């Protein structure tokens, strides 16, 4: 039996036997593809396929290639090797793809520590779903250079899943298709999609977003992936197929033995049919998977430019009998028409809001929500590559980061463009964020934004020494307080200090302790005070007049925090 199973195995009685034989051979040879036993495997095999849209991929087809029998754990390879490594080509993972898997592992270690998600599991699923984003063919932000789409899920050899996203992600407003390097169907992405690269968009075509979403999906239901039963259940929830489970576990153990980083675009592509969009020829040509024998297998003969690509479909599809994956797909992609005739470019008919309604931030802070719009054609389908101008309008010192009041961005494949975060200044009040396109008869859209004053919900005195003074003299100690908001120091918060007539009143007194204005005149109410960067506020000196007794000083801040302090004025001792 060949040490490298370089063909895509197809479902059916015969192919299942072949897959089983291959896995058995790996187990017998103690190769990294050996499938660990554990609860859930037999049960998973016995389970009937659930509805396709109950899994992450809609139970779509997938690559069933197995890793080489040769283990990757030889000198020069390591699961932590940061730079270019050596070893079997199949053990190499494109740099951006590997970084996305590790970032997702780290993120979930913080948000869901009980899940114990290993990045090697994401790598195994990514390999089986899309050949690691088609060998790492992604841009600098981790977005695939061309969409990775599974076959149309129209019930013709695959699951029948009606459109759930109006074609926003898969370009099909009739049926759904699996999308992106982790092959999510749009309905699943609507629930589990994440923005992992901080660009303000949840994009299934971005490996960082897709990897984190896949991790969240695998971890849900309080699974602990260090437990074999939970691990198997998680994989089967992604695609309910025993063959899928075995294939993913095989790659999982292979990657656990060791892997290394390779440049983006040079990863090994699976052999056989894949998703329904064409795979561009890589430059440079990816390293072929080595055979087990000492003599290396020659690289496949490159095709002449005039010859059609032998695999016009992207990775992630190809097994028609069991449409049990999150993305859905199949072995025979639909016809894409004459590739030499370019499709007419969509025409923008309107832009629409996709973000929040009212944007609000406290002075000096960054808005948590971002403005976003989608460009669509007359049929409501998204239009890519449309320049959108975002502009801050009105009497405000708020600015887009970093420091711009206007900028132009281009819509992505899903037709959306998202402005960067807005940094609020110190000026409070409302303003407008306007988005427009330079297309005749296409109206712009506007968001209303507002900046509110800094607030404090807590106010405490620094020190507890009794404040006393004799008539006609000044108080020896100045009053210092600290303002907080939700337990953190509240800087720049406006405050007032008033000598009040009673605990239930708020009007200033006409006698008793007082501050001094710039001319030295008595002043019993101070306005326009502000806390410093540490939330601290020190009041000016206080003086006593000829009235003795106990007096009250009330300090109030924006946000409702109050503090009342006693001041005692006594008569001088007898001569």
């Amino acid at each position: 039996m060949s040490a490298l199973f370089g063909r895509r195995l197809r479902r059916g009685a015969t192919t299942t036997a072949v897959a089983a034989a291959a896995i058995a051979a790996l187990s017998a040879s103690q190769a990294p593809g050996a499938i660990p036993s554990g609860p859930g495997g037999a049960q998973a095999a016995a389970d009937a396929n659930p509805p396709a849209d109950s899994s992450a991929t809609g139970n779509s087809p997938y690559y069933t290639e197995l890793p080489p029998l040769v283990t990757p754990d030889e000198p020069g390879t390591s699961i932590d090797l940061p730079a270019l490594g050596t070893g079997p080509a199949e053990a190499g993972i494109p740099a951006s793809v590997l970084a996305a898997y590790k970032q997702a592992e780290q993120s979930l270690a913080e948000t869901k520590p009980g899940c114990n998600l290993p990045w090697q599991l994401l790598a195994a699923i990514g390999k089986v779903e899309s050949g690691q984003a088609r060998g790492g063919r992604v841009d600098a932000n981790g977005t695939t250079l061309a969409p990775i789409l599974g076959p149309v899920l129209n019930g013709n050899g695959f699951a029948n899943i009606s459109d759930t996203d109006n074609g926003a992600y898969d370009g099909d407003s009739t049926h759904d298709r699996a999308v992106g390097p982790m092959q999510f169907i749009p309905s699943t992405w609507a629930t589990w999609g994440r923005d992992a690269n901080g660009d303000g968009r949840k994009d299934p075509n971005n490996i960082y977003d897709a990897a984190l979403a896949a991790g969240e999906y695998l971890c849900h239901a309080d699974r602990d992936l260090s437990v074999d039963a939970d691990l198997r259940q998680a994989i089967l929830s992604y695609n309910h197929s025993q063959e899928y489970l075995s294939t993913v576990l095989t790659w999982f153990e292979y990657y656990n033995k060791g892997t290394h980083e390779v440049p983006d675009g040079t990863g090994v592509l699976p052999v056989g049919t894949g998703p329904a969009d064409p795979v561009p020829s890589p430059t440079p040509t990816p390293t072929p998977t080595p055979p087990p024998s000492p003599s290396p297998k020659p690289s496949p003969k490159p095709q002449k430019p005039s010859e059609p690509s032998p695999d016009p479909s992207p990775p992630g599809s190809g097994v028609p009998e069991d449409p049990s994956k999150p993305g859905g797909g199949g072995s025979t992609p639909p016809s894409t028409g004459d590739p030499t005739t370019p499709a007419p470019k969509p025409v923008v008919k309107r832009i629409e809001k996709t973000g929040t309604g009212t944007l609000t931030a406290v002075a000096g802070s960054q808005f948590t929500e971002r403005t976003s719009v989608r460009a669509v054609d007359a049929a409501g389908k998204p239009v890519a590559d449309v320049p959108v101008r975002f502009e801050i309008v009105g009497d405000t010192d708020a600015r887009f980061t970093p420091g711009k009041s206007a900028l132009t961005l281009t819509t992505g494949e899903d037709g959306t463009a998202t402005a960067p975060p807005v940094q609020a200044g110190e000026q409070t009040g409302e303003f407008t964020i306007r988005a427009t396109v330079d297309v005749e008869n296409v109206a712009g859209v506007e968001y209303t934004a507002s900046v509110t004053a800094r607030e404090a919900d807590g106010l405490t005195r620094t020190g507890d020494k009794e404040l006393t003074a004799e008539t006609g003299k000044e108080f020896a100690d100045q009053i210092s307080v600290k303002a907080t908001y939700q337990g953190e120091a509240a800087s720049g918060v406006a405050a007032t200090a008033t000598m009040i007539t009673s605990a239930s009143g708020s009007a200033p007194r006409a006698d008793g302790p007082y501050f001094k204005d710039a001319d030295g005149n008595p002043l019993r109410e101070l306005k326009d005070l502000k806390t410093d960067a540490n939330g601290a506020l020190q009041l000016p000196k206080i003086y006593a007049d000829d009235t003795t007794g106990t007096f009250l000083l009330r300090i109030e801040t924006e946000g409702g925090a109050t503090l009342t302090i006693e001041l005692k004025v006594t008569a001088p001792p007898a001569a």
Side-chain angles (χ1 to χ4, degrees), residues 233-271:
Q233 184 185 50
I235 297 171
L236 285 169
S237 75
Y238 210 86
N239 189 315
H240 201 279
S241 159
Q242 180 65 21
E243 182 182 306
Y244 181 80
L245 171 67
S246 298
T247 307
V248 169
L249 286 175
T250 302
W251 280 106
F252 178 45
E253 186 164 339
Y254 183 75
Y255 287 135
N256 274 321
K257 289 289 185 179
T259 186
H260 57 269
E261 178 183 304
V262 299
D264 288 346
T266 65
V268 176
L269 284 174
V271 179

mmCIF file of all heavy atoms in Angstrom, residues 233-271:
data_model
loop_
_atom_site.group_PDB
_atom_site.id
_atom_site.type_symbol
_atom_site.label_atom_id
_atom_site.label_comp_id
_atom_site.label_asym_id
_atom_site.label_seq_id
_atom_site.Cartn_x
_atom_site.Cartn_y
_atom_site.Cartn_z
ATOM 1 N N GLN A 233 -17.474 14.357 19.756
ATOM 2 C CA GLN A 233 -18.784 14.981 19.586
ATOM 3 C C GLN A 233 -18.653 16.319 18.872
ATOM 4 O O GLN A 233 -19.461 16.672 18.003
ATOM 5 C CB GLN A 233 -19.436 15.174 20.952
ATOM 6 C CG GLN A 233 -20.854 15.744 20.882
ATOM 7 C CD GLN A 233 -21.423 16.029 22.260
ATOM 8 O OE1 GLN A 233 -20.774 16.672 23.084
ATOM 9 N NE2 GLN A 233 -22.622 15.529 22.522
ATOM 10 N N ALA A 234 -17.606 17.087 19.213
ATOM 11 C CA ALA A 234 -17.399 18.396 18.588
ATOM 12 C C ALA A 234 -17.123 18.253 17.097
ATOM 13 O O ALA A 234 -17.672 18.981 16.271
ATOM 14 C CB ALA A 234 -16.230 19.113 19.272
ATOM 15 N N ILE A 235 -16.266 17.298 16.731
ATOM 16 C CA ILE A 235 -15.937 17.097 15.318
ATOM 17 C C ILE A 235 -17.166 16.654 14.544
ATOM 18 O O ILE A 235 -17.437 17.125 13.433
ATOM 19 C CB ILE A 235 -14.792 16.071 15.174
ATOM 20 C CG1 ILE A 235 -13.522 16.606 15.836
ATOM 21 C CG2 ILE A 235 -14.532 15.752 13.698
ATOM 22 C CD1 ILE A 235 -12.409 15.589 15.949
ATOM 23 N N LEU A 236 -17.942 15.740 15.127
ATOM 24 C CA LEU A 236 -19.150 15.264 14.451
ATOM 25 C C LEU A 236 -20.197 16.375 14.332
ATOM 26 O O LEU A 236 -20.994 16.385 13.391
ATOM 27 C CB LEU A 236 -19.739 14.063 15.202
ATOM 28 C CG LEU A 236 -18.974 12.753 15.018
ATOM 29 C CD1 LEU A 236 -19.466 11.706 16.017
ATOM 30 C CD2 LEU A 236 -19.124 12.220 13.597
ATOM 31 N N SER A 237 -20.193 17.330 15.275
ATOM 32 C CA SER A 237 -21.135 18.448 15.156
ATOM 33 C C SER A 237 -20.751 19.355 13.997
ATOM 34 O O SER A 237 -21.596 20.038 13.433
ATOM 35 C CB SER A 237 -21.179 19.247 16.465
ATOM 36 O OG SER A 237 -20.015 20.060 16.616
ATOM 37 N N TYR A 238 -19.478 19.341 13.657
ATOM 38 C CA TYR A 238 -19.014 20.156 12.528
ATOM 39 C C TYR A 238 -19.439 19.516 11.214
ATOM 40 O O TYR A 238 -19.800 20.200 10.260
ATOM 41 C CB TYR A 238 -17.485 20.282 12.591
ATOM 42 C CG TYR A 238 -16.957 21.562 12.007
ATOM 43 C CD1 TYR A 238 -16.874 22.712 12.773
ATOM 44 C CD2 TYR A 238 -16.538 21.633 10.692
ATOM 45 C CE1 TYR A 238 -16.392 23.901 12.251
ATOM 46 C CE2 TYR A 238 -16.055 22.817 10.151
ATOM 47 C CZ TYR A 238 -15.988 23.946 10.933
ATOM 48 O OH TYR A 238 -15.519 25.122 10.396
ATOM 49 N N ASN A 239 -19.384 18.191 11.159
ATOM 50 C CA ASN A 239 -19.823 17.441 9.974
ATOM 51 C C ASN A 239 -20.142 16.034 10.427
ATOM 52 O O ASN A 239 -19.250 15.298 10.835
ATOM 53 C CB ASN A 239 -18.731 17.430 8.902
ATOM 54 C CG ASN A 239 -19.242 16.851 7.594
ATOM 55 O OD1 ASN A 239 -19.912 15.824 7.571
ATOM 56 N ND2 ASN A 239 -18.911 17.510 6.499
ATOM 57 N N HIS A 240 -21.404 15.678 10.365
ATOM 58 C CA HIS A 240 -21.842 14.413 10.962
ATOM 59 C C HIS A 240 -21.566 13.249 10.018
ATOM 60 O O HIS A 240 -22.425 12.804 9.261
ATOM 61 C CB HIS A 240 -23.333 14.481 11.305
ATOM 62 C CG HIS A 240 -23.726 13.462 12.335
ATOM 63 N ND1 HIS A 240 -23.975 12.159 12.043
ATOM 64 C CD2 HIS A 240 -23.875 13.583 13.676
ATOM 65 C CE1 HIS A 240 -24.286 11.501 13.141
ATOM 66 N NE2 HIS A 240 -24.226 12.352 14.152
ATOM 67 N N SER A 241 -20.328 12.758 10.080
ATOM 68 C CA SER A 241 -19.915 11.637 9.251
ATOM 69 C C SER A 241 -18.794 10.913 9.959
ATOM 70 O O SER A 241 -17.828 11.531 10.403
ATOM 71 C CB SER A 241 -19.446 12.139 7.880
ATOM 72 O OG SER A 241 -18.614 11.186 7.242
ATOM 73 N N GLN A 242 -18.902 9.594 10.062
ATOM 74 C CA GLN A 242 -17.846 8.822 10.695
ATOM 75 C C GLN A 242 -16.542 8.911 9.901
ATOM 76 O O GLN A 242 -15.452 8.972 10.469
ATOM 77 C CB GLN A 242 -18.264 7.345 10.835
ATOM 78 C CG GLN A 242 -17.218 6.454 11.500
ATOM 79 C CD GLN A 242 -16.965 6.834 12.952
ATOM 80 O OE1 GLN A 242 -17.807 7.481 13.571
ATOM 81 N NE2 GLN A 242 -15.809 6.461 13.482
ATOM 82 N N GLU A 243 -16.665 8.952 8.581
ATOM 83 C CA GLU A 243 -15.473 9.089 7.745
ATOM 84 C C GLU A 243 -14.813 10.445 7.993
ATOM 85 O O GLU A 243 -13.584 10.552 8.049
ATOM 86 C CB GLU A 243 -15.852 8.943 6.274
ATOM 87 C CG GLU A 243 -14.664 9.014 5.314
ATOM 88 C CD GLU A 243 -15.113 8.917 3.870
ATOM 89 O OE1 GLU A 243 -15.815 7.947 3.535
ATOM 90 O OE2 GLU A 243 -14.770 9.832 3.103
ATOM 91 N N TYR A 244 -15.630 11.478 8.150
ATOM 92 C CA TYR A 244 -15.102 12.808 8.444
ATOM 93 C C TYR A 244 -14.380 12.805 9.789
ATOM 94 O O TYR A 244 -13.272 13.335 9.923
ATOM 95 C CB TYR A 244 -16.251 13.809 8.465
ATOM 96 C CG TYR A 244 -15.840 15.239 8.737
ATOM 97 C CD1 TYR A 244 -15.320 16.033 7.724
ATOM 98 C CD2 TYR A 244 -15.973 15.798 10.003
ATOM 99 C CE1 TYR A 244 -14.940 17.345 7.957
ATOM 100 C CE2 TYR A 244 -15.603 17.108 10.259
ATOM 101 C CZ TYR A 244 -15.089 17.880 9.225
ATOM 102 O OH TYR A 244 -14.717 19.179 9.469
ATOM 103 N N LEU A 245 -15.005 12.201 10.799
ATOM 104 C CA LEU A 245 -14.392 12.109 12.118
ATOM 105 C C LEU A 245 -13.026 11.436 12.038
ATOM 106 O O LEU A 245 -12.029 11.934 12.575
ATOM 107 C CB LEU A 245 -15.312 11.327 13.065
ATOM 108 C CG LEU A 245 -14.728 10.950 14.431
ATOM 109 C CD1 LEU A 245 -14.488 12.199 15.268
ATOM 110 C CD2 LEU A 245 -15.643 9.978 15.162
ATOM 111 N N SER A 246 -12.961 10.311 11.333
ATOM 112 C CA SER A 246 -11.704 9.571 11.231
ATOM 113 C C SER A 246 -10.634 10.387 10.510
ATOM 114 O O SER A 246 -9.467 10.411 10.917
ATOM 115 C CB SER A 246 -11.940 8.247 10.496
ATOM 116 O OG SER A 246 -12.852 7.428 11.199
ATOM 117 N N THR A 247 -11.036 11.073 9.444
ATOM 118 C CA THR A 247 -10.070 11.847 8.671
ATOM 119 C C THR A 247 -9.522 13.010 9.490
ATOM 120 O O THR A 247 -8.316 13.266 9.509
ATOM 121 C CB THR A 247 -10.719 12.370 7.382
ATOM 122 O OG1 THR A 247 -11.312 11.272 6.672
ATOM 123 C CG2 THR A 247 -9.693 13.040 6.488
ATOM 124 N N VAL A 248 -10.400 13.738 10.179
ATOM 125 C CA VAL A 248 -9.952 14.866 11.000
ATOM 126 C C VAL A 248 -9.047 14.384 12.129
ATOM 127 O O VAL A 248 -7.993 14.980 12.408
ATOM 128 C CB VAL A 248 -11.158 15.650 11.561
ATOM 129 C CG1 VAL A 248 -10.706 16.657 12.622
ATOM 130 C CG2 VAL A 248 -11.883 16.375 10.443
ATOM 131 N N LEU A 249 -9.417 13.286 12.786
ATOM 132 C CA LEU A 249 -8.582 12.773 13.869
ATOM 133 C C LEU A 249 -7.215 12.339 13.362
ATOM 134 O O LEU A 249 -6.202 12.477 14.055
ATOM 135 C CB LEU A 249 -9.285 11.611 14.566
ATOM 136 C CG LEU A 249 -10.461 11.982 15.471
ATOM 137 C CD1 LEU A 249 -11.145 10.731 15.992
ATOM 138 C CD2 LEU A 249 -10.010 12.863 16.622
ATOM 139 N N THR A 250 -7.190 11.814 12.136
ATOM 140 C CA THR A 250 -5.919 11.403 11.553
ATOM 141 C C THR A 250 -4.992 12.595 11.382
ATOM 142 O O THR A 250 -3.823 12.570 11.773
ATOM 143 C CB THR A 250 -6.149 10.727 10.189
ATOM 144 O OG1 THR A 250 -7.019 9.608 10.352
ATOM 145 C CG2 THR A 250 -4.841 10.253 9.588
ATOM 146 N N TRP A 251 -5.514 13.694 10.816
ATOM 147 C CA TRP A 251 -4.712 14.902 10.637
ATOM 148 C C TRP A 251 -4.386 15.540 11.981
ATOM 149 O O TRP A 251 -3.304 16.113 12.159
ATOM 150 C CB TRP A 251 -5.449 15.896 9.748
ATOM 151 C CG TRP A 251 -5.343 15.569 8.290
ATOM 152 C CD1 TRP A 251 -6.301 15.045 7.478
ATOM 153 C CD2 TRP A 251 -4.178 15.737 7.475
ATOM 154 N NE1 TRP A 251 -5.814 14.869 6.205
ATOM 155 C CE2 TRP A 251 -4.506 15.291 6.178
ATOM 156 C CE3 TRP A 251 -2.888 16.206 7.716
ATOM 157 C CZ2 TRP A 251 -3.612 15.314 5.119
ATOM 158 C CZ3 TRP A 251 -1.984 16.229 6.669
ATOM 159 C CH2 TRP A 251 -2.337 15.789 5.382
ATOM 160 N N PHE A 252 -5.308 15.464 12.922
ATOM 161 C CA PHE A 252 -5.082 16.031 14.250
ATOM 162 C C PHE A 252 -3.854 15.398 14.904
ATOM 163 O O PHE A 252 -2.971 16.083 15.418
ATOM 164 C CB PHE A 252 -6.339 15.813 15.109
ATOM 165 C CG PHE A 252 -6.216 16.310 16.526
ATOM 166 C CD1 PHE A 252 -5.666 17.554 16.808
ATOM 167 C CD2 PHE A 252 -6.673 15.539 17.585
ATOM 168 C CE1 PHE A 252 -5.567 18.020 18.116
ATOM 169 C CE2 PHE A 252 -6.574 15.998 18.890
ATOM 170 C CZ PHE A 252 -6.021 17.229 19.153
ATOM 171 N N GLU A 253 -3.788 14.079 14.847
ATOM 172 C CA GLU A 253 -2.633 13.411 15.446
ATOM 173 C C GLU A 253 -1.367 13.693 14.641
ATOM 174 O O GLU A 253 -0.278 13.842 15.197
ATOM 175 C CB GLU A 253 -2.876 11.903 15.558
ATOM 176 C CG GLU A 253 -1.748 11.212 16.307
ATOM 177 C CD GLU A 253 -2.107 9.810 16.785
ATOM 178 O OE1 GLU A 253 -3.300 9.508 16.893
ATOM 179 O OE2 GLU A 253 -1.170 9.034 17.028
ATOM 180 N N TYR A 254 -1.513 13.800 13.338
ATOM 181 C CA TYR A 254 -0.350 14.097 12.485
ATOM 182 C C TYR A 254 0.249 15.450 12.857
ATOM 183 O O TYR A 254 1.455 15.592 13.031
ATOM 184 C CB TYR A 254 -0.791 14.080 11.020
ATOM 185 C CG TYR A 254 0.334 14.307 10.028
ATOM 186 C CD1 TYR A 254 1.248 13.303 9.743
ATOM 187 C CD2 TYR A 254 0.466 15.523 9.374
ATOM 188 C CE1 TYR A 254 2.272 13.503 8.826
ATOM 189 C CE2 TYR A 254 1.477 15.747 8.461
ATOM 190 C CZ TYR A 254 2.383 14.729 8.185
ATOM 191 O OH TYR A 254 3.389 14.928 7.292
ATOM 192 N N TYR A 255 -0.610 16.459 12.999
ATOM 193 C CA TYR A 255 -0.116 17.788 13.359
ATOM 194 C C TYR A 255 0.404 17.830 14.796
ATOM 195 O O TYR A 255 1.278 18.630 15.125
ATOM 196 C CB TYR A 255 -1.206 18.836 13.164
ATOM 197 C CG TYR A 255 -1.485 19.161 11.719
ATOM 198 C CD1 TYR A 255 -2.795 19.258 11.237
ATOM 199 C CD2 TYR A 255 -0.448 19.384 10.825
ATOM 200 C CE1 TYR A 255 -3.048 19.564 9.909
ATOM 201 C CE2 TYR A 255 -0.692 19.693 9.496
ATOM 202 C CZ TYR A 255 -1.992 19.774 9.043
ATOM 203 O OH TYR A 255 -2.235 20.080 7.722
ATOM 204 N N ASN A 256 -0.144 16.976 15.663
ATOM 205 C CA ASN A 256 0.380 16.909 17.021
ATOM 206 C C ASN A 256 1.805 16.374 17.052
ATOM 207 O O ASN A 256 2.561 16.658 17.983
ATOM 208 C CB ASN A 256 -0.517 16.025 17.894
ATOM 209 C CG ASN A 256 -1.677 16.804 18.509
ATOM 210 O OD1 ASN A 256 -1.514 17.948 18.911
ATOM 211 N ND2 ASN A 256 -2.847 16.186 18.557
ATOM 212 N N LYS A 257 2.185 15.596 16.054
ATOM 213 C CA LYS A 257 3.550 15.064 15.978
ATOM 214 C C LYS A 257 4.552 16.152 15.612
ATOM 215 O O LYS A 257 5.736 16.030 15.863
ATOM 216 C CB LYS A 257 3.606 13.947 14.935
ATOM 217 C CG LYS A 257 2.891 12.660 15.359
ATOM 218 C CD LYS A 257 3.665 11.940 16.449
ATOM 219 C CE LYS A 257 3.013 10.600 16.776
ATOM 220 N NZ LYS A 257 3.773 9.869 17.813
ATOM 221 N N GLY A 258 4.090 17.212 14.983
ATOM 222 C CA GLY A 258 4.987 18.291 14.598
ATOM 223 C C GLY A 258 4.571 18.919 13.291
ATOM 224 O O GLY A 258 3.965 18.268 12.438
ATOM 225 N N THR A 259 4.876 20.201 13.146
ATOM 226 C CA THR A 259 4.578 20.907 11.907
ATOM 227 C C THR A 259 5.540 22.077 11.800
ATOM 228 O O THR A 259 6.347 22.319 12.701
ATOM 229 C CB THR A 259 3.123 21.401 11.883
ATOM 230 O OG1 THR A 259 2.833 21.967 10.606
ATOM 231 C CG2 THR A 259 2.875 22.447 12.959
ATOM 232 N N HIS A 260 5.498 22.783 10.696
ATOM 233 C CA HIS A 260 6.342 23.946 10.542
ATOM 234 C C HIS A 260 5.634 24.969 9.662
ATOM 235 O O HIS A 260 4.681 24.658 8.965
ATOM 236 C CB HIS A 260 7.703 23.578 9.944
ATOM 237 C CG HIS A 260 7.605 22.882 8.624
ATOM 238 N ND1 HIS A 260 7.541 21.494 8.534
ATOM 239 C CD2 HIS A 260 7.565 23.337 7.352
ATOM 240 C CE1 HIS A 260 7.455 21.150 7.250
ATOM 241 N NE2 HIS A 260 7.463 22.251 6.522
ATOM 242 N N GLU A 261 6.134 26.187 9.724
ATOM 243 C CA GLU A 261 5.537 27.288 8.974
ATOM 244 C C GLU A 261 6.136 27.361 7.577
ATOM 245 O O GLU A 261 7.334 27.183 7.387
ATOM 246 C CB GLU A 261 5.794 28.590 9.730
ATOM 247 C CG GLU A 261 5.289 29.850 9.064
ATOM 248 C CD GLU A 261 5.652 31.085 9.866
ATOM 249 O OE1 GLU A 261 5.287 31.147 11.054
ATOM 250 O OE2 GLU A 261 6.324 31.967 9.298
ATOM 251 N N VAL A 262 5.278 27.605 6.594
ATOM 252 C CA VAL A 262 5.727 27.837 5.225
ATOM 253 C C VAL A 262 5.130 29.158 4.760
ATOM 254 O O VAL A 262 4.145 29.638 5.318
ATOM 255 C CB VAL A 262 5.299 26.691 4.272
ATOM 256 C CG1 VAL A 262 5.902 25.370 4.720
ATOM 257 C CG2 VAL A 262 3.779 26.586 4.190
ATOM 258 N N PRO A 263 5.700 29.789 3.743
ATOM 259 C CA PRO A 263 5.149 31.074 3.282
ATOM 260 C C PRO A 263 3.720 30.927 2.768
ATOM 261 O O PRO A 263 3.334 29.878 2.240
ATOM 262 C CB PRO A 263 6.106 31.474 2.146
ATOM 263 C CG PRO A 263 7.366 30.725 2.421
ATOM 264 C CD PRO A 263 6.947 29.427 3.030
ATOM 265 N N ASP A 264 2.947 31.991 2.929
ATOM 266 C CA ASP A 264 1.587 31.995 2.390
ATOM 267 C C ASP A 264 1.636 31.700 0.888
ATOM 268 O O ASP A 264 2.500 32.202 0.161
ATOM 269 C CB ASP A 264 0.923 33.349 2.617
ATOM 270 C CG ASP A 264 0.568 33.582 4.068
ATOM 271 O OD1 ASP A 264 0.588 32.622 4.848
ATOM 272 O OD2 ASP A 264 0.282 34.748 4.442
ATOM 273 N N GLY A 265 0.668 30.884 0.431
ATOM 274 C CA GLY A 265 0.579 30.576 -0.990
ATOM 275 C C GLY A 265 1.418 29.397 -1.426
ATOM 276 O O GLY A 265 1.352 29.001 -2.590
ATOM 277 N N THR A 266 2.204 28.795 -0.509
ATOM 278 C CA THR A 266 3.061 27.679 -0.898
ATOM 279 C C THR A 266 2.661 26.373 -0.231
ATOM 280 O O THR A 266 3.406 25.402 -0.291
ATOM 281 C CB THR A 266 4.530 27.978 -0.556
ATOM 282 O OG1 THR A 266 4.680 28.065 0.866
ATOM 283 C CG2 THR A 266 4.985 29.279 -1.198
ATOM 284 N N GLY A 267 1.516 26.356 0.450
ATOM 285 C CA GLY A 267 1.067 25.129 1.088
ATOM 286 C C GLY A 267 0.663 24.081 0.063
ATOM 287 O O GLY A 267 0.393 24.386 -1.098
ATOM 288 N N VAL A 268 0.601 22.826 0.501
ATOM 289 C CA VAL A 268 0.250 21.713 -0.383
ATOM 290 C C VAL A 268 -1.254 21.688 -0.617
ATOM 291 O O VAL A 268 -2.035 21.696 0.337
ATOM 292 C CB VAL A 268 0.711 20.377 0.215
ATOM 293 C CG1 VAL A 268 0.263 19.213 -0.658
ATOM 294 C CG2 VAL A 268 2.221 20.371 0.353
ATOM 295 N N LEU A 269 -1.657 21.647 -1.880
ATOM 296 C CA LEU A 269 -3.076 21.571 -2.211
ATOM 297 C C LEU A 269 -3.517 20.116 -2.282
ATOM 298 O O LEU A 269 -2.788 19.277 -2.798
ATOM 299 C CB LEU A 269 -3.344 22.239 -3.562
ATOM 300 C CG LEU A 269 -3.345 23.769 -3.578
ATOM 301 C CD1 LEU A 269 -3.486 24.264 -5.004
ATOM 302 C CD2 LEU A 269 -4.473 24.299 -2.722
ATOM 303 N N PRO A 270 -4.721 19.803 -1.758
ATOM 304 C CA PRO A 270 -5.240 18.444 -1.888
ATOM 305 C C PRO A 270 -5.438 18.074 -3.354
ATOM 306 O O PRO A 270 -5.664 18.938 -4.204
ATOM 307 C CB PRO A 270 -6.578 18.501 -1.151
ATOM 308 C CG PRO A 270 -6.473 19.693 -0.269
ATOM 309 C CD PRO A 270 -5.608 20.662 -1.007
ATOM 310 N N VAL A 271 -5.350 16.778 -3.646
ATOM 311 C CA VAL A 271 -5.573 16.284 -5.005
ATOM 312 C C VAL A 271 -7.029 15.930 -5.149
ATOM 313 O O VAL A 271 -7.612 15.304 -4.287
ATOM 314 C CB VAL A 271 -4.699 15.045 -5.285
ATOM 315 C CG1 VAL A 271 -4.952 14.513 -6.685
ATOM 316 C CG2 VAL A 271 -3.238 15.394 -5.104
#
